[in-house]
Amino acid sequence: MAWHLKNMMIPILVLLGLIALIETLSYFILLKKYNRSIPDETIENGRFGNSNGLKSNLNTKIWGEAFSTDDKGSRPAKAYNKKPKKVWIGDSVVEGVGVSDSLIFTYLLAESDSVYDYLNFAHAGNTPIDYFNTINSLIDTNSILVNDSVHSFHIGICLNDINPKEKIQSTLPAFIQKANLLLQISNTYRLLKLWINRNSDGYFQYDAAMYKDQAKVHEVIDQLVRISALCKSKNISCQFYIFPYKSQLVSGNFSPQQTLAYHMGINGLPFIDLSSYLRKGDNLHELYLFSDEIHFSAKGHKAIATSISMIR
């Protein structure tokens, strides 16, 4: 009996060891490839009026990559210079989460521009209302940029700006949702799920549906008009940029951008749709982070910087 028990324990222990090894490997892969946590200690609540921003003088890692800010809270930290400033505003896409400081497109643009410096005050989760608040704070007479010459504001627009606070609602049966929630404790399950869904267009389909709601479209456009009017009141030029989702570059479905372009055009808002520029490259999936439809990889940031350099 003891002999049989011993022979049974050996394969069980081997199996448990194998499971532990796979779980550990999955953990490190997730940590490197799909770490989506943003530490609360990096955020300064109410930095720009009613809107949040990054704390000054950060030197940390976010999404597994080097992440720093200067004394103004602009990413990345760098030596001060007296060049006129091109100031970028946006959400996590413009902020460049998941990519190291020296590889984000605003840093690349600054490196190749001998006339202007580039500041990046984008912040994860921000919306057009926050873009307005940030710009309004930055051009206030008591602002952190009061001694700098702001040449222009550059605002990144993503499709989720139309309804950024609402989470995607699952259409799966309740028991499957519960099972999925329970299995989230397994690193291997989460990694497999990411791999299987790495080319999903779920986020795009959800956000694209919002652009059929004219009331929501007008809410976004109204905020962009406010931003433009604010900049004009201070005699500072502004430029809007529309960033595409990965699935759009592959499928060619740009109907939300067409809706934005129409309304921005009739309101006289200057904009550039980056879709047509980014579609020209090969291996379009490589422009985005692993299993991510929204955020760009280092290769994507380089493509953005190249596109904007061609435009300017």
Side-chain angles (χ1 to χ4, degrees):
M1 183 70 176
W3 182 83
H4 286 295
L5 183 60
K6 182 179 179 181
N7 278 276
M8 288 176 61
M9 288 299 297
I10 291 175
I12 290 174
L13 290 174
V14 170
L15 178 60
L16 290 175
L18 183 60
I19 291 173
L21 176 61
I22 293 173
E23 278 289 293
T24 302
L25 290 173
S26 297
Y27 169 78
F28 284 108
I29 293 173
L30 286 170
L31 189 65
K32 181 64 179 175
K33 290 288 188 180
Y34 205 79
N35 176 10
R36 294 298 185 261
S37 62
I38 298 179
D40 290 339
E41 58 267 25
T42 65
I43 302 169
E44 182 174 329
N45 294 324
R47 172 148 202 165
F48 302 110
N50 293 323
S51 297
N52 299 337
L54 293 168
K55 289 184 177 178
S56 300
N57 302 313
L58 289 173
N59 187 11
T60 184
K61 285 192 174 183
I62 291 182
W63 291 19
E65 300 294 341
F67 193 104
S68 66
T69 61
D70 62 17
D71 60 347
K72 297 178 175 64
S74 166
R75 187 190 184 204
K78 55 185 175 182
Y80 174 78
N81 63 69
K82 295 183 178 180
K83 294 179 182 178
K85 312 302 182 190
K86 290 190 175 183
V87 182
W88 279 80
I89 309 293
D91 62 6
S92 56
V93 172
V94 176
E95 185 182 25
V97 290
V99 176
S100 295
D101 286 337
S102 61
L103 298 177
I104 62 175
F105 74 89
T106 49
Y107 182 90
L108 297 176
L109 287 169
E111 287 289 284
S112 64
D113 196 327
S114 61
V115 178
Y116 300 103
D117 188 23
Y118 290 71
L119 299 180
N120 188 333
F121 289 100
H123 183 59
N126 275 2
T127 72
I129 294 175
D130 300 304
Y131 308 160
F132 176 90
N133 291 340
T134 302
I135 293 173
N136 192 40
S137 295
L138 290 173
I139 59 181
D140 184 82
T141 54
N142 296 317
S143 94
I144 54 179
L145 295 182
V146 68
N147 294 320
D148 290 326
S149 173
V150 178
H151 171 268
S152 52
F153 284 104
H154 301 259
I155 302 96
I157 304 299
C158 296
L159 297 187
N160 60 1
D161 280 341
I162 196 169
N163 202 13
K165 301 301 184 184
E166 184 173 318
K167 293 182 179 180
I168 295 179
Q169 300 298 319
S170 176
T171 58
L172 295 173
F175 77 94
I176 294 181
Q177 293 184 46
K178 290 180 180 179
N180 174 66
L181 186 62
L182 180 63
L183 289 169
Q184 291 295 321
I185 62 173
S186 168
N187 296 316
T188 305
Y189 171 78
R190 290 191 290 127
L191 182 59
L192 286 172
K193 185 179 176 182
L194 287 170
W195 181 260
I196 292 170
N197 294 320
R198 66 191 183 279
N199 295 324
S200 169
D201 66 347
Y203 280 102
F204 167 68
Q205 293 296 342
Y206 185 83
D207 291 335
M210 299 291 176
Y211 286 84
K212 298 177 182 178
D213 186 333
Q214 288 299 307
K216 291 185 179 296
V217 172
H218 286 297
E219 286 178 12
V220 172
I221 296 299
D222 287 346
Q223 292 300 327
L224 303 186
V225 169
R226 285 183 71 216
I227 292 171
S228 178
L230 175 62
C231 292
K232 285 181 180 178
S233 72
K234 299 295 183 178
N235 294 315
I236 300 175
S237 66
C238 72
Q239 179 74 54
F240 297 94
Y241 300 79
I242 305 175
F243 289 82
Y245 283 5
K246 176 173 66 176
S247 57
Q248 290 188 282
L249 296 184
V250 177
S251 69
N253 181 357
F254 298 107
S255 57
Q257 279 87 345
Q258 292 166 1
T259 298
L260 281 175
Y262 171 76
H263 288 281
M264 293 177 78
I266 63 177
N267 282 281
L269 301 177
F271 71 93
I272 294 170
D273 185 353
L274 291 170
S275 305
S276 57
Y277 297 91
L278 297 178
R279 286 197 79 195
K280 295 177 181 178
D282 298 323
N283 300 319
L284 299 176
H285 288 286
E286 295 180 4
L287 297 179
Y288 295 78
L289 297 176
F290 169 69
S291 195
D292 195 317
E293 195 172 2
I294 301 173
H295 299 100
F296 291 88
S297 64
K299 184 175 179 179
H301 277 267
K302 185 176 181 179
I304 293 168
T306 299
S307 300
I308 293 174
S309 295
M310 292 170 55
I311 298 167
R312 73 183 183 196

